[in-house]
Amino acid sequence: MKIVRPKTLEDNLKESIKAIRSQTKLKPKIAIILGSGLGEFAETISSSTVIDTQSIPHYPHSSVEGHKGRLIFGKIGKVKLLAFQGRVHFYETGNIETILYPIRVAHALGIKTLVVTNAAGGINKQFTPGDLMLITDHINLTFENPFIDQNKSATSHQLYDKPMQNLIKASAQEESIPIREGIYCGIKGPSYETAAEVQMIRFFGADAVGMSTVNEVSLANAFGMRVGGISCITNLSTGILDQKLSHKEVTEIANLVKGPFGQLLRAIIVKLGNKF
Ligand code: HPA
């Protein structure tokens, strides 16, 4: 009798990488995760191979509007990169592995530098919708952790690489694009926060809040990747303004800033390609 061993995460990952490798041989140095409404940046990548996530076995799919599930392999200037267009959020599956999978794929492809972008609500009262914020650190309020069940932990005192923070700030200055800086708080979603929760998150010391990023960044750090993050502040959080928040508002503002945001990302990638 043949005993069939259940497939492990490593087996799945190997199959995913094989499917990707059958479509492109490009070896990207940098990966970038494009958040809500920021997907269009991918269209500016040259010599690209676009891989629909549906064609990659075991790869998670997103159901959120504005989140096309594609992996784009190509170049910005001379720098080879992989852009993840459209991320799957934890609340879509309730399984943390779905959100970690792109990071595992990037790591398996030998990528050592990661730029994470997201849409976030402004907690800091000085912020206005359309602001960009360099993420200097995060607070994980998702009550999830990539290392649960793995009998190990990974802690870094500097999740968001300091030289990369400086590089992002220098790029913004050179491109004359204003950038704030602050702490990102990750929540599980899918509901937006209540006014009382916003008050609590501000008291905790966060400047922005969103439904992604924190677990991905923790895993990328454990893999030894250099990580940088930028939030697009798409709205002010509940309780700051007396109005209801909608996903439409988030994508509308992300749409408005996609020009300067894309310009900044290109400048960052070129600089990263020269530096690392
Ligand atoms: N809260 C949580 N996630 C978000 C927000 C918000 O206000 N805006 C965009 N993503």
Side-chain angles (χ1 to χ4, degrees), residues 102-174:
I103 306 297
R104 296 193 190 283
V105 166
H107 175 60
L109 290 168
I111 294 171
K112 299 212 161 50
T113 303
L114 178 70
V115 180
V116 184
T117 69
N118 58 45
I123 294 281
N124 185 325
K125 288 183 179 169
Q126 312 274 302
F127 288 4
T128 37
D131 281 353
L132 299 177
M133 183 191 89
L134 168 72
I135 304 175
T136 55
D137 204 349
H138 75 217
I139 298 172
N140 184 348
L141 275 194
T142 65
F143 305 102
E144 293 292 331
N145 194 291
F147 311 107
I148 287 174
D149 291 338
Q150 290 189 17
N151 205 14
K152 66 172 180 183
S153 67
T155 317
S156 166
H157 67 290
Q158 190 70 66
L159 283 172
Y160 298 83
D161 183 66
K162 199 75 188 166
M164 194 136 142
Q165 287 188 36
N166 291 335
L167 183 148
I168 293 171
K169 281 193 273 190
S171 305
Q173 199 169 25
E174 282 164 28

Side-chain angles (χ1 to χ4, degrees), residues 119-122 187 191-193 209-211 232 234-238 245 250:
I187 57 151
S191 357
Y192 291 115
E193 315 64 49
V209 59
M211 301 176 198
C232 173
T234 51
N235 56 279
L236 297 181
S237 298
T238 314
L245 178 61
V250 169

